[in-house]
Structure formats: C-alpha cells, structure tokens
Amino acid sequence: MNYKDVNIPIKNITLKGRLRLAENQKGLIVFSHGSGSSRMSSRNNYVADLLLNEGFSSLLFDLLTEAEDTIHENRFNIDLLAERLVEVTQWISKQKDMQNVPIGFFGASTGAASALKATSFLGTSIKAIVSRGGRPDLALPILDKIKSPTLLIVGGKDGVVIDLNKKAYDKLSSIKKIEIIEGATHLFSEPGKLEAVAKLTSNWFNKYLKK
C-alpha cells in the first residue's frame, strides 16, 4: 500500500481520504471525483499511482459523508462539492510537509466542474487543472474567471461529451488545451487509454505546477 488513510475534519463532519506522499515532491494533486464515485475509484487511484512515480503527492477524498451520499441530489450539487473541495484544499495546505507545496486539481466527470468552481474561489493558488472525461460545461458561468492552466482530456468515443468540452474550452480564458484520446470511451477503460491520460496529466503538471 503506497498511501495512508487520513481523516479530514471539516466544520462538523469528517471526510475520509487517501494521501500519497512522494519523495522530493514536485507538488500535490487533489482529486475531485465524479458523482457516485469515492476515494476508492480504481481509475483515479491508478492515475495517482502513476503520478506518485513522477514525483507528485496526491489526496483522494470522499466529497460527501456516507449519510450525505445516500441523498441522490447531493451527488450533483456542484456548489456543495466545490465548497468541500475548497475546504479540504485549505486543510491539506496547512498540514505538515504540505505548506508552500504547489497544488493542482484533477477532476473526473462532474468532479471537473467542482474543481473549476473551487478554482474560481481559490484563484491562482491552484497552479494547474486537469479534467478527465469531465463536465466542465457544468461550470460554464465561471470559466472566464479561471486563470490556472487547464487541460481537458476527452475520449474520442465519448459522444456528446466531446462537444460539451469544446464548448467549455472556448469559454476558458486561461492557458488551455484539449486532448482527445482516439479510441477511448468515457471511462478510458480500453487497454492503454488510462495510461495515456496519466501521461498527459503528468506532462501538464510538470509544465505548470510551479510555486
């Protein structure tokens, strides 16, 4: 096991997380998972493992408590999820070994919208953002406020999500790029596709995740 379980106290609740610490870390990536997912997402943990090998620490955490997750509407409450991401980012940035470490966001599915909304609040303290199969269009009203370099990764077989990402891309005013991985569906479950996501992600953070 290359991570440690952490409990994150936020106001009157506690959220569960997985923290990976890289030696001589280049930065910290905070994951924002999609609706119905959690810190145990196999795909996000795969990406986090590869980022660890590249020198990036990471935090995967549950955006909702178990009780909150039983309420279906909460999973799609982007404002609530973004607020949680802000609070957890502020918490982790105060922890030992994490002060003055550059922070980036990695958002998947609806979690990409939460990551972008949280960034509109946190500003350039978020150095870079990567969206995997995301729904950045759900954060359309605030995209022109994003100043952090943003990479949108979409599967070439992801149908309407490609168009939604292109619509969001046009609204972004920051450094931006859209990468379409040919042959990949929404979950990038085809052989080698998730590895391609991790490589693009690592390259983006290596380029832009600076103090």
Side-chain angles (χ1 to χ4, degrees):
M1 191 168 70
N2 59 3
Y3 62 85
K4 66 176 181 179
D5 293 317
V6 293
N7 290 319
I8 305 167
I10 301 296
K11 295 179 179 173
N12 58 341
I13 63 168
T14 299
L15 300 173
K16 295 179 180 179
R18 287 181 174 182
L19 180 64
R20 289 171 170 82
L21 289 174
E23 291 186 16
N24 303 314
Q25 60 185 345
K26 301 174 184 174
L28 169 71
I29 312 304
V30 181
F31 282 65
S32 177
H33 61 72
S35 58
S37 189
S38 74
R39 72 190 186 283
M40 293 185 280
S41 160
S42 59
R43 284 174 286 278
N44 283 347
N45 276 280
Y46 177 85
V47 173
D49 282 342
L50 294 187
L51 288 175
L52 185 65
N53 292 336
E54 292 290 326
F56 293 104
S57 300
S58 65
L59 175 65
L60 284 72
F61 73 100
D62 295 345
L63 289 159
L64 300 171
T65 65
E66 290 184 11
E68 290 171 337
D69 195 50
T70 63
I71 301 172
H72 185 72
E73 291 76 12
N74 283 340
R75 298 182 177 188
F76 299 94
N77 187 337
I78 302 300
D79 288 339
L80 170 63
L81 302 177
E83 182 180 329
R84 289 285 163 80
L85 186 54
V86 167
E87 292 169 336
V88 169
T89 301
Q90 291 172 333
W91 174 84
I92 190 67
S93 65
K94 295 175 183 174
Q95 303 307 302
K96 183 182 178 183
D97 300 326
M98 289 300 168
Q99 297 172 16
N100 300 316
V101 173
I103 295 176
F105 283 161
F106 180 94
S109 190
T110 52
S114 308
L116 287 160
K117 276 209 166 185
T119 301
S120 73
F121 180 83
L122 294 167
T124 53
S125 62
I126 304 305
K127 302 302 182 185
I129 306 165
V130 174
S131 162
R132 169 182 66 82
R135 290 293 308 277
D137 56 293
L138 296 177
L140 211 59
I142 56 84
L143 291 184
D144 59 348
K145 298 177 182 175
I146 301 297
K147 305 300 180 189
S148 309
T150 301
L151 171 64
L152 307 178
I153 304 175
V154 194
K157 293 183 176 180
D158 205 3
V160 69
V161 175
I162 297 174
D163 293 333
L164 293 173
N165 271 260
K166 288 180 176 176
K167 184 178 179 181
Y169 177 86
D170 289 341
K171 190 76 184 293
L172 284 165
S173 57
S174 61
I175 293 172
K176 59 186 177 180
K177 190 173 185 180
I178 186 166
E179 292 275 8
I180 297 178
I181 298 181
E182 295 302 328
T185 52
H186 185 62
L187 297 178
F188 299 89
S189 55
E190 296 77 14
K193 302 307 181 187
L194 200 54
E195 184 177 4
V197 168
K199 186 63 179 175
L200 289 170
T201 299
S202 176
N203 290 344
W204 193 257
F205 287 138
N206 269 315
K207 186 172 184 178
Y208 292 111
L209 204 67
K210 311 290 184 184
K211 289 183 180 178

